[in-house]
Amino acid sequence: MRVAACFGAGMDIVEPCAFPLTDKKIRAAAMDYGAAISPTRHASWTAYQNSAEAARGRLVLFTTAGAGEIWDFDFSADDRLLFGRESAGVPENVHESADERLRIPIREGMRSLNVTVTAAIALAEASRQLR
């Protein structure tokens, strides 16, 4: 939430999450950034797909199984950036829904970056391109 707030990005949370996400935990995670961001919660992937948010732009999934690298991708202002669980990524049906699948290249032998770092890198690169 802090990353989204600092970059001025909206944020959608699609449940179930990797951890219990009550309204109280969302407020705690937002800390003093809570006034700058108000995440939209969706009860399921289907609920998200039926929402107004899902109707705009390309769905860009960040995954270690991505075909393309973030540095070679041209972002658009209406792209929706999707990040999965650190431990398991996203389910196959979500993977199939993505218009683009990107990876952030990391050193060989390393598994992955955590979701917050990945989101920060992705938002920074998109912002750099779209400035």
Side-chain angles (χ1 to χ4, degrees), residues 80-111:
R80 295 170 291 129
L81 310 184
L82 178 63
F83 309 93
R85 293 180 180 181
E86 292 174 19
S87 60
V90 299
E92 189 58 34
N93 67 318
V94 176
H95 230 281
E96 292 169 2
S97 296
D99 297 303
E100 303 286 343
R101 290 166 200 80
L102 300 179
R103 62 186 159 74
I104 297 171
I106 59 174
R107 195 171 112 204
E108 192 171 325
M110 300 291 106
R111 281 190 316 273

PDB file of all heavy atoms in Angstrom, residues 80-111:
ATOM      1  N   ARG A  80      -2.902  -2.290 -16.105  1.00  0.00           N
ATOM      2  CA  ARG A  80      -3.179  -2.780 -14.757  1.00  0.00           C
ATOM      3  C   ARG A  80      -2.080  -3.761 -14.410  1.00  0.00           C
ATOM      4  O   ARG A  80      -1.918  -4.765 -15.081  1.00  0.00           O
ATOM      5  CB  ARG A  80      -4.546  -3.469 -14.696  1.00  0.00           C
ATOM      6  CG  ARG A  80      -5.692  -2.506 -14.965  1.00  0.00           C
ATOM      7  CD  ARG A  80      -7.020  -3.231 -15.137  1.00  0.00           C
ATOM      8  NE  ARG A  80      -7.023  -3.999 -16.394  1.00  0.00           N
ATOM      9  CZ  ARG A  80      -7.345  -5.292 -16.484  1.00  0.00           C
ATOM     10  NH1 ARG A  80      -7.704  -5.973 -15.431  1.00  0.00           N
ATOM     11  NH2 ARG A  80      -7.313  -5.915 -17.659  1.00  0.00           N
ATOM     12  N   LEU A  81      -1.294  -3.463 -13.394  1.00  0.00           N
ATOM     13  CA  LEU A  81      -0.166  -4.296 -13.000  1.00  0.00           C
ATOM     14  C   LEU A  81      -0.626  -5.288 -11.941  1.00  0.00           C
ATOM     15  O   LEU A  81      -1.226  -4.906 -10.941  1.00  0.00           O
ATOM     16  CB  LEU A  81       0.977  -3.432 -12.463  1.00  0.00           C
ATOM     17  CG  LEU A  81       1.384  -2.238 -13.339  1.00  0.00           C
ATOM     18  CD1 LEU A  81       2.577  -1.528 -12.732  1.00  0.00           C
ATOM     19  CD2 LEU A  81       1.671  -2.676 -14.763  1.00  0.00           C
ATOM     20  N   LEU A  82      -0.331  -6.556 -12.170  1.00  0.00           N
ATOM     21  CA  LEU A  82      -0.804  -7.623 -11.290  1.00  0.00           C
ATOM     22  C   LEU A  82       0.381  -8.356 -10.681  1.00  0.00           C
ATOM     23  O   LEU A  82       1.314  -8.747 -11.390  1.00  0.00           O
ATOM     24  CB  LEU A  82      -1.670  -8.605 -12.088  1.00  0.00           C
ATOM     25  CG  LEU A  82      -2.211  -9.816 -11.350  1.00  0.00           C
ATOM     26  CD1 LEU A  82      -3.158  -9.402 -10.224  1.00  0.00           C
ATOM     27  CD2 LEU A  82      -2.932 -10.737 -12.321  1.00  0.00           C
ATOM     28  N   PHE A  83       0.313  -8.549  -9.367  1.00  0.00           N
ATOM     29  CA  PHE A  83       1.357  -9.235  -8.617  1.00  0.00           C
ATOM     30  C   PHE A  83       0.701 -10.337  -7.798  1.00  0.00           C
ATOM     31  O   PHE A  83      -0.301 -10.099  -7.131  1.00  0.00           O
ATOM     32  CB  PHE A  83       2.085  -8.252  -7.689  1.00  0.00           C
ATOM     33  CG  PHE A  83       2.549  -7.021  -8.411  1.00  0.00           C
ATOM     34  CD1 PHE A  83       1.758  -5.884  -8.457  1.00  0.00           C
ATOM     35  CD2 PHE A  83       3.766  -7.013  -9.066  1.00  0.00           C
ATOM     36  CE1 PHE A  83       2.168  -4.753  -9.142  1.00  0.00           C
ATOM     37  CE2 PHE A  83       4.185  -5.882  -9.755  1.00  0.00           C
ATOM     38  CZ  PHE A  83       3.392  -4.750  -9.792  1.00  0.00           C
ATOM     39  N   GLY A  84       1.279 -11.512  -7.825  1.00  0.00           N
ATOM     40  CA  GLY A  84       0.717 -12.647  -7.102  1.00  0.00           C
ATOM     41  C   GLY A  84       1.384 -12.861  -5.759  1.00  0.00           C
ATOM     42  O   GLY A  84       2.169 -12.042  -5.284  1.00  0.00           O
ATOM     43  N   ARG A  85       1.077 -13.992  -5.185  1.00  0.00           N
ATOM     44  CA  ARG A  85       1.677 -14.377  -3.903  1.00  0.00           C
ATOM     45  C   ARG A  85       3.159 -14.654  -4.094  1.00  0.00           C
ATOM     46  O   ARG A  85       3.577 -15.219  -5.106  1.00  0.00           O
ATOM     47  CB  ARG A  85       1.017 -15.647  -3.382  1.00  0.00           C
ATOM     48  CG  ARG A  85      -0.411 -15.465  -3.000  1.00  0.00           C
ATOM     49  CD  ARG A  85      -0.976 -16.773  -2.503  1.00  0.00           C
ATOM     50  NE  ARG A  85      -2.372 -16.575  -2.144  1.00  0.00           N
ATOM     51  CZ  ARG A  85      -3.142 -17.518  -1.659  1.00  0.00           C
ATOM     52  NH1 ARG A  85      -2.673 -18.742  -1.491  1.00  0.00           N
ATOM     53  NH2 ARG A  85      -4.383 -17.259  -1.345  1.00  0.00           N
ATOM     54  N   GLU A  86       3.938 -14.300  -3.096  1.00  0.00           N
ATOM     55  CA  GLU A  86       5.376 -14.553  -3.179  1.00  0.00           C
ATOM     56  C   GLU A  86       5.672 -16.044  -3.237  1.00  0.00           C
ATOM     57  O   GLU A  86       6.585 -16.475  -3.924  1.00  0.00           O
ATOM     58  CB  GLU A  86       6.079 -13.922  -1.975  1.00  0.00           C
ATOM     59  CG  GLU A  86       6.033 -12.414  -2.008  1.00  0.00           C
ATOM     60  CD  GLU A  86       6.607 -11.782  -0.751  1.00  0.00           C
ATOM     61  OE1 GLU A  86       7.360 -12.457  -0.022  1.00  0.00           O
ATOM     62  OE2 GLU A  86       6.302 -10.604  -0.507  1.00  0.00           O
ATOM     63  N   SER A  87       4.885 -16.831  -2.539  1.00  0.00           N
ATOM     64  CA  SER A  87       5.151 -18.264  -2.444  1.00  0.00           C
ATOM     65  C   SER A  87       4.663 -19.063  -3.652  1.00  0.00           C
ATOM     66  O   SER A  87       5.262 -20.063  -4.018  1.00  0.00           O
ATOM     67  CB  SER A  87       4.499 -18.832  -1.187  1.00  0.00           C
ATOM     68  OG  SER A  87       3.089 -18.624  -1.249  1.00  0.00           O
ATOM     69  N   ALA A  88       3.567 -18.609  -4.274  1.00  0.00           N
ATOM     70  CA  ALA A  88       2.948 -19.447  -5.312  1.00  0.00           C
ATOM     71  C   ALA A  88       2.546 -18.695  -6.576  1.00  0.00           C
ATOM     72  O   ALA A  88       2.032 -19.310  -7.500  1.00  0.00           O
ATOM     73  CB  ALA A  88       1.713 -20.132  -4.726  1.00  0.00           C
ATOM     74  N   GLY A  89       2.764 -17.410  -6.630  1.00  0.00           N
ATOM     75  CA  GLY A  89       2.343 -16.644  -7.810  1.00  0.00           C
ATOM     76  C   GLY A  89       0.826 -16.543  -7.879  1.00  0.00           C
ATOM     77  O   GLY A  89       0.166 -16.356  -6.863  1.00  0.00           O
ATOM     78  N   VAL A  90       0.290 -16.676  -9.077  1.00  0.00           N
ATOM     79  CA  VAL A  90      -1.161 -16.613  -9.280  1.00  0.00           C
ATOM     80  C   VAL A  90      -1.638 -17.953  -9.851  1.00  0.00           C
ATOM     81  O   VAL A  90      -0.870 -18.668 -10.481  1.00  0.00           O
ATOM     82  CB  VAL A  90      -1.573 -15.459 -10.222  1.00  0.00           C
ATOM     83  CG1 VAL A  90      -1.174 -14.106  -9.652  1.00  0.00           C
ATOM     84  CG2 VAL A  90      -0.992 -15.646 -11.617  1.00  0.00           C
ATOM     85  N   PRO A  91      -2.915 -18.272  -9.657  1.00  0.00           N
ATOM     86  CA  PRO A  91      -3.447 -19.508 -10.237  1.00  0.00           C
ATOM     87  C   PRO A  91      -3.372 -19.478 -11.768  1.00  0.00           C
ATOM     88  O   PRO A  91      -3.305 -18.418 -12.395  1.00  0.00           O
ATOM     89  CB  PRO A  91      -4.909 -19.531  -9.769  1.00  0.00           C
ATOM     90  CG  PRO A  91      -4.971 -18.593  -8.618  1.00  0.00           C
ATOM     91  CD  PRO A  91      -3.900 -17.568  -8.843  1.00  0.00           C
ATOM     92  N   GLU A  92      -3.403 -20.648 -12.377  1.00  0.00           N
ATOM     93  CA  GLU A  92      -3.270 -20.774 -13.833  1.00  0.00           C
ATOM     94  C   GLU A  92      -4.327 -19.976 -14.585  1.00  0.00           C
ATOM     95  O   GLU A  92      -4.036 -19.353 -15.600  1.00  0.00           O
ATOM     96  CB  GLU A  92      -3.320 -22.253 -14.240  1.00  0.00           C
ATOM     97  CG  GLU A  92      -2.971 -22.477 -15.700  1.00  0.00           C
ATOM     98  CD  GLU A  92      -1.589 -21.962 -16.101  1.00  0.00           C
ATOM     99  OE1 GLU A  92      -0.650 -22.013 -15.298  1.00  0.00           O
ATOM    100  OE2 GLU A  92      -1.462 -21.498 -17.247  1.00  0.00           O
ATOM    101  N   ASN A  93      -5.582 -19.968 -14.089  1.00  0.00           N
ATOM    102  CA  ASN A  93      -6.628 -19.217 -14.794  1.00  0.00           C
ATOM    103  C   ASN A  93      -6.343 -17.715 -14.786  1.00  0.00           C
ATOM    104  O   ASN A  93      -6.679 -17.013 -15.730  1.00  0.00           O
ATOM    105  CB  ASN A  93      -8.015 -19.520 -14.227  1.00  0.00           C
ATOM    106  CG  ASN A  93      -8.199 -19.022 -12.803  1.00  0.00           C
ATOM    107  OD1 ASN A  93      -7.316 -19.157 -11.956  1.00  0.00           O
ATOM    108  ND2 ASN A  93      -9.350 -18.463 -12.526  1.00  0.00           N
ATOM    109  N   VAL A  94      -5.708 -17.220 -13.754  1.00  0.00           N
ATOM    110  CA  VAL A  94      -5.326 -15.810 -13.700  1.00  0.00           C
ATOM    111  C   VAL A  94      -4.173 -15.572 -14.671  1.00  0.00           C
ATOM    112  O   VAL A  94      -4.163 -14.587 -15.408  1.00  0.00           O
ATOM    113  CB  VAL A  94      -4.957 -15.393 -12.263  1.00  0.00           C
ATOM    114  CG1 VAL A  94      -4.460 -13.959 -12.222  1.00  0.00           C
ATOM    115  CG2 VAL A  94      -6.151 -15.585 -11.331  1.00  0.00           C
ATOM    116  N   HIS A  95      -3.220 -16.488 -14.685  1.00  0.00           N
ATOM    117  CA  HIS A  95      -2.100 -16.411 -15.628  1.00  0.00           C
ATOM    118  C   HIS A  95      -2.623 -16.300 -17.060  1.00  0.00           C
ATOM    119  O   HIS A  95      -2.158 -15.485 -17.853  1.00  0.00           O
ATOM    120  CB  HIS A  95      -1.244 -17.679 -15.502  1.00  0.00           C
ATOM    121  CG  HIS A  95       0.207 -17.421 -15.351  1.00  0.00           C
ATOM    122  ND1 HIS A  95       1.023 -17.098 -16.395  1.00  0.00           N
ATOM    123  CD2 HIS A  95       1.000 -17.451 -14.262  1.00  0.00           C
ATOM    124  CE1 HIS A  95       2.250 -16.943 -15.971  1.00  0.00           C
ATOM    125  NE2 HIS A  95       2.269 -17.154 -14.672  1.00  0.00           N
ATOM    126  N   GLU A  96      -3.610 -17.120 -17.378  1.00  0.00           N
ATOM    127  CA  GLU A  96      -4.177 -17.144 -18.731  1.00  0.00           C
ATOM    128  C   GLU A  96      -4.940 -15.858 -19.060  1.00  0.00           C
ATOM    129  O   GLU A  96      -5.080 -15.503 -20.229  1.00  0.00           O
ATOM    130  CB  GLU A  96      -5.097 -18.354 -18.885  1.00  0.00           C
ATOM    131  CG  GLU A  96      -4.350 -19.666 -18.868  1.00  0.00           C
ATOM    132  CD  GLU A  96      -5.247 -20.885 -18.753  1.00  0.00           C
ATOM    133  OE1 GLU A  96      -6.486 -20.725 -18.724  1.00  0.00           O
ATOM    134  OE2 GLU A  96      -4.702 -22.000 -18.673  1.00  0.00           O
ATOM    135  N   SER A  97      -5.419 -15.155 -18.052  1.00  0.00           N
ATOM    136  CA  SER A  97      -6.165 -13.912 -18.276  1.00  0.00           C
ATOM    137  C   SER A  97      -5.262 -12.727 -18.600  1.00  0.00           C
ATOM    138  O   SER A  97      -5.728 -11.707 -19.111  1.00  0.00           O
ATOM    139  CB  SER A  97      -6.985 -13.559 -17.025  1.00  0.00           C
ATOM    140  OG  SER A  97      -7.952 -14.539 -16.776  1.00  0.00           O
ATOM    141  N   ALA A  98      -3.979 -12.856 -18.288  1.00  0.00           N
ATOM    142  CA  ALA A  98      -3.043 -11.743 -18.484  1.00  0.00           C
ATOM    143  C   ALA A  98      -2.810 -11.475 -19.963  1.00  0.00           C
ATOM    144  O   ALA A  98      -2.672 -12.399 -20.763  1.00  0.00           O
ATOM    145  CB  ALA A  98      -1.722 -12.039 -17.795  1.00  0.00           C
ATOM    146  N   ASP A  99      -2.776 -10.201 -20.314  1.00  0.00           N
ATOM    147  CA  ASP A  99      -2.437  -9.800 -21.682  1.00  0.00           C
ATOM    148  C   ASP A  99      -0.933  -9.881 -21.905  1.00  0.00           C
ATOM    149  O   ASP A  99      -0.470 -10.143 -23.019  1.00  0.00           O
ATOM    150  CB  ASP A  99      -2.915  -8.367 -21.947  1.00  0.00           C
ATOM    151  CG  ASP A  99      -4.420  -8.254 -21.844  1.00  0.00           C
ATOM    152  OD1 ASP A  99      -5.119  -8.972 -22.576  1.00  0.00           O
ATOM    153  OD2 ASP A  99      -4.897  -7.457 -21.007  1.00  0.00           O
ATOM    154  N   GLU A 100      -0.180  -9.600 -20.855  1.00  0.00           N
ATOM    155  CA  GLU A 100       1.288  -9.625 -20.920  1.00  0.00           C
ATOM    156  C   GLU A 100       1.809 -10.283 -19.651  1.00  0.00           C
ATOM    157  O   GLU A 100       1.227 -10.116 -18.584  1.00  0.00           O
ATOM    158  CB  GLU A 100       1.861  -8.203 -21.010  1.00  0.00           C
ATOM    159  CG  GLU A 100       1.359  -7.402 -22.181  1.00  0.00           C
ATOM    160  CD  GLU A 100       1.946  -7.836 -23.511  1.00  0.00           C
ATOM    161  OE1 GLU A 100       2.969  -8.544 -23.522  1.00  0.00           O
ATOM    162  OE2 GLU A 100       1.375  -7.454 -24.542  1.00  0.00           O
ATOM    163  N   ARG A 101       2.916 -11.001 -19.768  1.00  0.00           N
ATOM    164  CA  ARG A 101       3.576 -11.623 -18.624  1.00  0.00           C
ATOM    165  C   ARG A 101       5.029 -11.165 -18.623  1.00  0.00           C
ATOM    166  O   ARG A 101       5.779 -11.492 -19.547  1.00  0.00           O
ATOM    167  CB  ARG A 101       3.493 -13.145 -18.719  1.00  0.00           C
ATOM    168  CG  ARG A 101       2.106 -13.679 -18.510  1.00  0.00           C
ATOM    169  CD  ARG A 101       2.016 -15.145 -18.950  1.00  0.00           C
ATOM    170  NE  ARG A 101       0.650 -15.535 -19.210  1.00  0.00           N
ATOM    171  CZ  ARG A 101      -0.029 -15.270 -20.333  1.00  0.00           C
ATOM    172  NH1 ARG A 101       0.546 -14.615 -21.302  1.00  0.00           N
ATOM    173  NH2 ARG A 101      -1.276 -15.640 -20.476  1.00  0.00           N
ATOM    174  N   LEU A 102       5.403 -10.424 -17.593  1.00  0.00           N
ATOM    175  CA  LEU A 102       6.750  -9.859 -17.525  1.00  0.00           C
ATOM    176  C   LEU A 102       7.515 -10.406 -16.336  1.00  0.00           C
ATOM    177  O   LEU A 102       6.931 -10.762 -15.315  1.00  0.00           O
ATOM    178  CB  LEU A 102       6.682  -8.340 -17.394  1.00  0.00           C
ATOM    179  CG  LEU A 102       5.985  -7.561 -18.500  1.00  0.00           C
ATOM    180  CD1 LEU A 102       6.011  -6.078 -18.169  1.00  0.00           C
ATOM    181  CD2 LEU A 102       6.630  -7.835 -19.844  1.00  0.00           C
ATOM    182  N   ARG A 103       8.827 -10.422 -16.506  1.00  0.00           N
ATOM    183  CA  ARG A 103       9.682 -10.776 -15.378  1.00  0.00           C
ATOM    184  C   ARG A 103      10.699  -9.674 -15.185  1.00  0.00           C
ATOM    185  O   ARG A 103      11.044  -8.935 -16.120  1.00  0.00           O
ATOM    186  CB  ARG A 103      10.344 -12.129 -15.590  1.00  0.00           C
ATOM    187  CG  ARG A 103      11.257 -12.221 -16.755  1.00  0.00           C
ATOM    188  CD  ARG A 103      11.759 -13.668 -16.951  1.00  0.00           C
ATOM    189  NE  ARG A 103      12.224 -13.854 -18.301  1.00  0.00           N
ATOM    190  CZ  ARG A 103      13.355 -13.380 -18.793  1.00  0.00           C
ATOM    191  NH1 ARG A 103      14.146 -12.681 -18.020  1.00  0.00           N
ATOM    192  NH2 ARG A 103      13.693 -13.574 -20.050  1.00  0.00           N
ATOM    193  N   ILE A 104      11.148  -9.557 -13.967  1.00  0.00           N
ATOM    194  CA  ILE A 104      12.234  -8.647 -13.632  1.00  0.00           C
ATOM    195  C   ILE A 104      13.477  -9.527 -13.531  1.00  0.00           C
ATOM    196  O   ILE A 104      13.523 -10.434 -12.696  1.00  0.00           O
ATOM    197  CB  ILE A 104      11.961  -7.916 -12.311  1.00  0.00           C
ATOM    198  CG1 ILE A 104      10.707  -7.045 -12.445  1.00  0.00           C
ATOM    199  CG2 ILE A 104      13.176  -7.081 -11.903  1.00  0.00           C
ATOM    200  CD1 ILE A 104      10.217  -6.447 -11.152  1.00  0.00           C
ATOM    201  N   PRO A 105      14.455  -9.328 -14.423  1.00  0.00           N
ATOM    202  CA  PRO A 105      15.624 -10.209 -14.399  1.00  0.00           C
ATOM    203  C   PRO A 105      16.399 -10.048 -13.093  1.00  0.00           C
ATOM    204  O   PRO A 105      16.634  -8.925 -12.634  1.00  0.00           O
ATOM    205  CB  PRO A 105      16.452  -9.765 -15.601  1.00  0.00           C
ATOM    206  CG  PRO A 105      15.925  -8.443 -16.007  1.00  0.00           C
ATOM    207  CD  PRO A 105      14.547  -8.304 -15.450  1.00  0.00           C
ATOM    208  N   ILE A 106      16.750 -11.172 -12.515  1.00  0.00           N
ATOM    209  CA  ILE A 106      17.552 -11.178 -11.298  1.00  0.00           C
ATOM    210  C   ILE A 106      18.712 -12.151 -11.490  1.00  0.00           C
ATOM    211  O   ILE A 106      18.741 -12.916 -12.444  1.00  0.00           O
ATOM    212  CB  ILE A 106      16.716 -11.550 -10.046  1.00  0.00           C
ATOM    213  CG1 ILE A 106      16.083 -12.941 -10.194  1.00  0.00           C
ATOM    214  CG2 ILE A 106      15.657 -10.489  -9.781  1.00  0.00           C
ATOM    215  CD1 ILE A 106      15.374 -13.431  -8.941  1.00  0.00           C
ATOM    216  N   ARG A 107      19.623 -12.104 -10.591  1.00  0.00           N
ATOM    217  CA  ARG A 107      20.829 -12.931 -10.650  1.00  0.00           C
ATOM    218  C   ARG A 107      20.485 -14.422 -10.675  1.00  0.00           C
ATOM    219  O   ARG A 107      19.579 -14.873  -9.975  1.00  0.00           O
ATOM    220  CB  ARG A 107      21.688 -12.617  -9.434  1.00  0.00           C
ATOM    221  CG  ARG A 107      23.081 -13.119  -9.529  1.00  0.00           C
ATOM    222  CD  ARG A 107      23.894 -12.580  -8.387  1.00  0.00           C
ATOM    223  NE  ARG A 107      24.218 -13.734  -7.548  1.00  0.00           N
ATOM    224  CZ  ARG A 107      24.512 -13.668  -6.281  1.00  0.00           C
ATOM    225  NH1 ARG A 107      24.474 -12.528  -5.644  1.00  0.00           N
ATOM    226  NH2 ARG A 107      24.820 -14.748  -5.617  1.00  0.00           N
ATOM    227  N   GLU A 108      21.187 -15.159 -11.505  1.00  0.00           N
ATOM    228  CA  GLU A 108      20.968 -16.603 -11.609  1.00  0.00           C
ATOM    229  C   GLU A 108      21.145 -17.269 -10.244  1.00  0.00           C
ATOM    230  O   GLU A 108      22.024 -16.899  -9.470  1.00  0.00           O
ATOM    231  CB  GLU A 108      21.956 -17.200 -12.615  1.00  0.00           C
ATOM    232  CG  GLU A 108      21.620 -18.619 -12.990  1.00  0.00           C
ATOM    233  CD  GLU A 108      22.450 -19.127 -14.142  1.00  0.00           C
ATOM    234  OE1 GLU A 108      22.772 -18.333 -15.043  1.00  0.00           O
ATOM    235  OE2 GLU A 108      22.776 -20.321 -14.116  1.00  0.00           O
ATOM    236  N   GLY A 109      20.271 -18.214  -9.958  1.00  0.00           N
ATOM    237  CA  GLY A 109      20.324 -18.935  -8.694  1.00  0.00           C
ATOM    238  C   GLY A 109      19.443 -18.342  -7.613  1.00  0.00           C
ATOM    239  O   GLY A 109      19.222 -18.965  -6.576  1.00  0.00           O
ATOM    240  N   MET A 110      18.924 -17.139  -7.835  1.00  0.00           N
ATOM    241  CA  MET A 110      18.018 -16.514  -6.883  1.00  0.00           C
ATOM    242  C   MET A 110      16.585 -16.861  -7.288  1.00  0.00           C
ATOM    243  O   MET A 110      16.273 -16.900  -8.472  1.00  0.00           O
ATOM    244  CB  MET A 110      18.184 -14.989  -6.879  1.00  0.00           C
ATOM    245  CG  MET A 110      19.577 -14.517  -6.503  1.00  0.00           C
ATOM    246  SD  MET A 110      19.978 -14.829  -4.774  1.00  0.00           S
ATOM    247  CE  MET A 110      21.109 -16.200  -4.931  1.00  0.00           C
ATOM    248  N   ARG A 111      15.712 -17.132  -6.301  1.00  0.00           N
ATOM    249  CA  ARG A 111      14.337 -17.542  -6.611  1.00  0.00           C
ATOM    250  C   ARG A 111      13.480 -16.398  -7.122  1.00  0.00           C
ATOM    251  O   ARG A 111      12.872 -16.476  -8.172  1.00  0.00           O
ATOM    252  CB  ARG A 111      13.673 -18.145  -5.359  1.00  0.00           C
ATOM    253  CG  ARG A 111      14.071 -19.553  -5.077  1.00  0.00           C
ATOM    254  CD  ARG A 111      13.202 -20.154  -3.996  1.00  0.00           C
ATOM    255  NE  ARG A 111      12.958 -19.289  -2.852  1.00  0.00           N
ATOM    256  CZ  ARG A 111      13.754 -19.197  -1.798  1.00  0.00           C
ATOM    257  NH1 ARG A 111      14.851 -19.904  -1.728  1.00  0.00           N
ATOM    258  NH2 ARG A 111      13.459 -18.390  -0.802  1.00  0.00           N
TER     259      ARG A 111
END
